[in-house]
């Protein structure tokens, strides 16, 4: 929230909290320039008038003052009749156009990453399958706050994002396996998480915690690789 947004929000809160007509009038006079610019400065006769002032101001602040930008945006959407399709099917297209942050869970994150497995029957495939079991258990522990990191931290480590984007990931997230490092690694350019092949879950959990805790952002070249 920038300073202008913060100031507007604070003013609307004070007007909304006015408990008497006198207090409301004092608030509107104090911020008369701001309210007059928005076209909602008026003489109030009851404390209920604050609702109309706040509603009208927010309507202007969000839509009215941005009308030219919104018009240009609508012109762009009109290309290839997309605006018409959006108006006819708003519910269908809303998930693609509107970000709605959904809480991550272990199962969702496990299904997001597709493993690159060795041929069936090989010794390495057995170790990879065992590690995938550790990975599933680790995500459950993350969900239940039994680890040093949260599910959002795991996603951030692997993809650079803390929530699932509405249009999905490109490229699709994947899992590779490491037998030359005891710590997890990742490449956020390819959305690839590299899991260490370890022999016990408690060791796997400890090393995953350590690896992600010591890679709080981009640039930790021992653990985290960016494109």
């Amino acid at each position: 929230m920038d300073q202008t947004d913060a100031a507007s929000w604070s003013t609307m809160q004070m007007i909304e909290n006015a408990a008497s007509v006198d207090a409301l009038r004092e608030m509107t006079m104090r911020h008369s320039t701001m309210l007059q610019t928005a076209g909602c400065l008026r003489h109030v006769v009851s404390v209920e008038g604050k609702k109309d002032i706040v509603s009208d101001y927010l309507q202007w602040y969000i839509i009215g003052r941005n009308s030219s930008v919104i018009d240009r945006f609508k012109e762009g959407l009109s290309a290839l009749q997309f605006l018409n399709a959006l108006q006819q099917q708003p519910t269908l297209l809303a998930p693609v156009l509107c970000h709605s942050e959904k809480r991550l869970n272990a199962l969702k994150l496990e299904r997001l990453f597709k493993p690159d497995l060795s041929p069936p029957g090989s010794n390495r495939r057995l170790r990879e399958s065992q590690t995938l079991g550790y990975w599933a258990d680790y995500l459950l522990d993350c969900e239940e706050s039994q680890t040093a990191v949260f599910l959002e931290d795991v996603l951030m480590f692997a993809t650079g994002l803390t929530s699932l984007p509405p249009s999905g990931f490109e490229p699709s997230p994947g899992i590779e396996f490491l037998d030359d490092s005891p710590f997890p690694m990742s490449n956020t350019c390819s959305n690839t998480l590299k899991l260490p092949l370890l022999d016990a879950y408690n060791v796997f959990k400890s090393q995953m915690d350590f690896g992600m805790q010591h890679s709080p952002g981009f640039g930790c070249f021992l653990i985290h690789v960016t494109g």
Side-chain angles (χ1 to χ4, degrees):
M1 182 181 293
D2 62 24
Q3 292 182 346
T4 302
D5 290 342
S8 297
W9 173 259
S10 177
T11 300
M12 291 301 105
Q13 284 287 94
M14 288 188 290
I15 292 175
E16 181 69 25
N17 293 334
S20 67
V21 174
D22 288 341
L24 180 57
R25 287 173 179 169
E26 195 274 330
M27 283 292 106
T28 57
M29 288 300 100
R30 183 189 303 179
H31 302 285
S32 59
T33 300
M34 186 181 83
L35 297 176
Q36 189 171 29
T37 300
C40 56
L41 179 63
R42 67 196 63 173
H43 177 69
V44 292
V45 296
S46 73
V47 73
E48 292 300 315
K50 64 185 181 181
K51 296 179 180 179
D52 290 336
I53 293 174
V54 171
S55 177
D56 290 350
Y57 181 83
L58 293 178
Q59 178 79 11
W60 171 83
Y61 192 81
I62 297 171
I63 298 176
R65 73 188 184 114
N66 298 308
S67 60
S68 61
V69 176
I70 294 173
D71 287 341
R72 290 198 299 272
F73 181 61
K74 290 171 66 177
E75 289 174 7
L77 290 178
S78 295
L80 303 178
Q81 299 298 313
F82 184 78
L83 179 60
N84 184 51
L86 178 60
Q87 291 171 330
Q88 292 181 356
Q89 301 289 342
T91 304
L92 183 63
L93 293 172
V96 178
L97 298 175
C98 301
H99 178 60
S100 178
E101 191 166 317
K102 298 179 180 179
R103 184 173 178 83
L104 288 174
N105 60 54
L107 182 60
K108 186 179 297 184
L109 204 55
E110 181 185 0
R111 289 175 174 174
L112 179 66
F113 290 86
K114 305 303 181 185
D116 181 16
L117 295 167
S118 299
S122 64
N123 290 335
R124 184 177 175 85
R125 176 65 173 266
L126 292 176
R127 297 190 68 197
E128 292 169 351
S129 297
Q130 181 184 53
T131 299
L132 287 178
Y134 294 161
W135 164 244
D137 290 341
Y138 183 74
L139 293 178
L140 285 173
D141 282 348
C142 288
E143 184 175 340
E144 297 172 0
S145 300
Q146 300 298 314
T147 59
V149 299
F150 298 103
L151 291 173
E152 290 78 9
D153 299 320
V154 177
L155 186 63
M156 177 67 182
F157 179 81
T159 69
L161 298 177
T162 57
S163 62
L164 303 178
S167 58
F169 286 97
E170 181 58 41
S172 298
I175 288 177
E176 296 179 0
F177 300 92
L178 297 168
D179 51 16
D180 57 354
S181 172
F183 303 109
M185 299 179 68
S186 68
N187 187 323
T188 56
C189 295
S190 61
N191 297 323
T192 301
L193 175 63
K194 302 177 182 181
L195 300 178
L197 293 170
L198 301 171
D199 294 326
Y201 175 66
N202 62 327
V203 179
F204 178 87
K205 178 179 178 179
S206 174
Q207 301 296 64
M208 290 290 288
D209 280 351
F210 182 89
M212 281 184 274
Q213 278 188 301
H214 289 78
S215 179
F218 301 122
C220 183
F221 69 94
L222 291 176
I223 304 294
H224 198 86
V225 181
T226 60

Short mmCIF file of all heavy atoms in Angstrom, two decimals, residues 193-215:
data_model
loop_
_atom_site.label_atom_id
_atom_site.label_comp_id
_atom_site.label_asym_id
_atom_site.label_seq_id
_atom_site.Cartn_x
_atom_site.Cartn_y
_atom_site.Cartn_z
N LEU A 193 12.99 -29.14 -8.54
CA LEU A 193 13.45 -29.41 -7.18
C LEU A 193 14.28 -30.69 -7.21
O LEU A 193 13.84 -31.71 -7.75
CB LEU A 193 12.26 -29.57 -6.24
CG LEU A 193 12.56 -29.96 -4.80
CD1 LEU A 193 13.39 -28.89 -4.10
CD2 LEU A 193 11.26 -30.22 -4.03
N LYS A 194 15.46 -30.63 -6.61
CA LYS A 194 16.36 -31.79 -6.61
C LYS A 194 16.47 -32.31 -5.19
O LYS A 194 16.95 -31.61 -4.30
CB LYS A 194 17.72 -31.40 -7.16
CG LYS A 194 17.65 -30.85 -8.59
CD LYS A 194 19.00 -30.41 -9.12
CE LYS A 194 18.88 -29.81 -10.51
NZ LYS A 194 20.19 -29.39 -11.07
N LEU A 195 16.03 -33.54 -4.98
CA LEU A 195 15.99 -34.13 -3.65
C LEU A 195 17.18 -35.06 -3.43
O LEU A 195 17.54 -35.84 -4.32
CB LEU A 195 14.70 -34.93 -3.47
CG LEU A 195 13.38 -34.15 -3.61
CD1 LEU A 195 12.21 -35.11 -3.46
CD2 LEU A 195 13.31 -33.03 -2.57
N PRO A 196 17.78 -34.99 -2.24
CA PRO A 196 18.90 -35.89 -1.94
C PRO A 196 18.42 -37.32 -1.68
O PRO A 196 17.36 -37.52 -1.08
CB PRO A 196 19.51 -35.28 -0.68
CG PRO A 196 18.36 -34.58 -0.01
CD PRO A 196 17.49 -34.06 -1.13
N LEU A 197 19.21 -38.28 -2.15
CA LEU A 197 18.90 -39.68 -1.91
C LEU A 197 19.56 -40.09 -0.59
O LEU A 197 20.77 -40.30 -0.53
CB LEU A 197 19.42 -40.55 -3.07
CG LEU A 197 18.73 -40.34 -4.42
CD1 LEU A 197 19.48 -41.06 -5.52
CD2 LEU A 197 17.28 -40.81 -4.37
N LEU A 198 18.76 -40.19 0.45
CA LEU A 198 19.26 -40.49 1.78
C LEU A 198 18.59 -41.75 2.32
O LEU A 198 17.55 -42.17 1.82
CB LEU A 198 19.02 -39.30 2.71
CG LEU A 198 19.68 -37.98 2.25
CD1 LEU A 198 19.21 -36.82 3.10
CD2 LEU A 198 21.19 -38.10 2.28
N ASP A 199 19.20 -42.34 3.36
CA ASP A 199 18.77 -43.66 3.80
C ASP A 199 17.75 -43.67 4.93
O ASP A 199 17.22 -44.74 5.27
CB ASP A 199 19.99 -44.49 4.23
CG ASP A 199 20.92 -44.78 3.05
OD1 ASP A 199 20.38 -44.96 1.93
OD2 ASP A 199 22.14 -44.84 3.25
N ALA A 200 17.48 -42.52 5.53
CA ALA A 200 16.54 -42.49 6.65
C ALA A 200 15.74 -41.20 6.62
O ALA A 200 16.27 -40.14 6.26
CB ALA A 200 17.27 -42.63 7.98
N TYR A 201 14.46 -41.28 7.03
CA TYR A 201 13.61 -40.09 6.94
C TYR A 201 14.08 -38.99 7.88
O TYR A 201 14.04 -37.82 7.52
CB TYR A 201 12.16 -40.43 7.27
CG TYR A 201 11.30 -39.19 7.31
CD1 TYR A 201 11.07 -38.44 6.15
CD2 TYR A 201 10.76 -38.72 8.52
CE1 TYR A 201 10.31 -37.28 6.18
CE2 TYR A 201 10.00 -37.57 8.55
CZ TYR A 201 9.78 -36.84 7.38
OH TYR A 201 9.05 -35.69 7.40
N ASN A 202 14.54 -39.32 9.07
CA ASN A 202 14.95 -38.27 10.00
C ASN A 202 16.14 -37.48 9.45
O ASN A 202 16.25 -36.27 9.66
CB ASN A 202 15.27 -38.86 11.38
CG ASN A 202 16.43 -39.84 11.36
OD1 ASN A 202 16.63 -40.54 10.38
ND2 ASN A 202 17.18 -39.90 12.45
N VAL A 203 17.02 -38.16 8.72
CA VAL A 203 18.15 -37.48 8.07
C VAL A 203 17.65 -36.61 6.92
O VAL A 203 18.06 -35.46 6.76
CB VAL A 203 19.20 -38.49 7.56
CG1 VAL A 203 20.35 -37.76 6.86
CG2 VAL A 203 19.72 -39.34 8.71
N PHE A 204 16.75 -37.16 6.11
CA PHE A 204 16.16 -36.42 4.99
C PHE A 204 15.49 -35.15 5.50
O PHE A 204 15.69 -34.05 4.97
CB PHE A 204 15.14 -37.31 4.28
CG PHE A 204 14.43 -36.65 3.12
CD1 PHE A 204 14.97 -36.67 1.85
CD2 PHE A 204 13.20 -36.01 3.31
CE1 PHE A 204 14.32 -36.08 0.77
CE2 PHE A 204 12.54 -35.41 2.25
CZ PHE A 204 13.10 -35.44 0.98
N LYS A 205 14.69 -35.27 6.56
CA LYS A 205 13.97 -34.13 7.11
C LYS A 205 14.94 -33.06 7.61
O LYS A 205 14.77 -31.86 7.35
CB LYS A 205 13.07 -34.60 8.24
CG LYS A 205 12.29 -33.50 8.95
CD LYS A 205 11.41 -34.07 10.04
CE LYS A 205 10.65 -33.00 10.79
NZ LYS A 205 9.77 -33.57 11.85
N SER A 206 15.97 -33.50 8.32
CA SER A 206 16.95 -32.55 8.85
C SER A 206 17.69 -31.81 7.75
O SER A 206 17.88 -30.59 7.81
CB SER A 206 17.95 -33.31 9.74
OG SER A 206 18.98 -32.45 10.17
N GLN A 207 18.08 -32.55 6.71
CA GLN A 207 18.82 -31.93 5.61
C GLN A 207 17.93 -31.02 4.76
O GLN A 207 18.38 -29.98 4.27
CB GLN A 207 19.45 -33.01 4.73
CG GLN A 207 20.42 -33.93 5.44
CD GLN A 207 21.64 -33.21 5.97
OE1 GLN A 207 21.55 -32.35 6.85
NE2 GLN A 207 22.80 -33.57 5.44
N MET A 208 16.67 -31.38 4.59
CA MET A 208 15.74 -30.50 3.88
C MET A 208 15.55 -29.20 4.64
O MET A 208 15.57 -28.10 4.06
CB MET A 208 14.40 -31.21 3.68
CG MET A 208 14.42 -32.37 2.70
SD MET A 208 14.63 -31.87 0.98
CE MET A 208 13.03 -31.13 0.63
N ASP A 209 15.35 -29.30 5.94
CA ASP A 209 15.20 -28.10 6.77
C ASP A 209 16.44 -27.21 6.65
O ASP A 209 16.33 -26.00 6.43
CB ASP A 209 15.00 -28.49 8.24
CG ASP A 209 13.56 -28.91 8.55
OD1 ASP A 209 12.69 -28.74 7.67
OD2 ASP A 209 13.32 -29.41 9.66
N PHE A 210 17.60 -27.82 6.82
CA PHE A 210 18.84 -27.05 6.79
C PHE A 210 19.04 -26.39 5.44
O PHE A 210 19.39 -25.20 5.35
CB PHE A 210 20.03 -27.96 7.11
CG PHE A 210 21.35 -27.23 7.15
CD1 PHE A 210 21.79 -26.67 8.33
CD2 PHE A 210 22.12 -27.12 6.00
CE1 PHE A 210 23.01 -25.99 8.37
CE2 PHE A 210 23.34 -26.45 6.03
CZ PHE A 210 23.79 -25.88 7.22
N GLY A 211 18.82 -27.15 4.38
CA GLY A 211 19.04 -26.62 3.03
C GLY A 211 18.16 -25.43 2.72
O GLY A 211 18.62 -24.41 2.19
N MET A 212 16.87 -25.52 3.06
CA MET A 212 15.96 -24.42 2.74
C MET A 212 16.11 -23.25 3.70
O MET A 212 15.97 -22.10 3.31
CB MET A 212 14.52 -24.94 2.70
CG MET A 212 14.23 -25.65 1.40
SD MET A 212 12.52 -26.20 1.21
CE MET A 212 12.62 -27.76 2.05
N GLN A 213 16.43 -23.53 4.95
CA GLN A 213 16.65 -22.44 5.90
C GLN A 213 17.86 -21.60 5.54
O GLN A 213 17.90 -20.40 5.81
CB GLN A 213 16.84 -23.00 7.32
CG GLN A 213 15.56 -23.34 8.04
CD GLN A 213 15.82 -23.69 9.48
OE1 GLN A 213 16.56 -24.63 9.78
NE2 GLN A 213 15.22 -22.94 10.37
N HIS A 214 18.85 -22.21 4.93
CA HIS A 214 20.08 -21.50 4.59
C HIS A 214 20.08 -21.04 3.14
O HIS A 214 21.11 -20.71 2.57
CB HIS A 214 21.30 -22.37 4.89
CG HIS A 214 21.55 -22.55 6.35
ND1 HIS A 214 20.81 -23.42 7.13
CD2 HIS A 214 22.41 -21.92 7.19
CE1 HIS A 214 21.23 -23.35 8.39
NE2 HIS A 214 22.20 -22.45 8.44
N SER A 215 18.91 -21.03 2.54
CA SER A 215 18.74 -20.45 1.21
C SER A 215 17.51 -19.57 1.24
O SER A 215 16.51 -19.87 0.61
CB SER A 215 18.59 -21.55 0.16
OG SER A 215 18.42 -20.97 -1.13
#
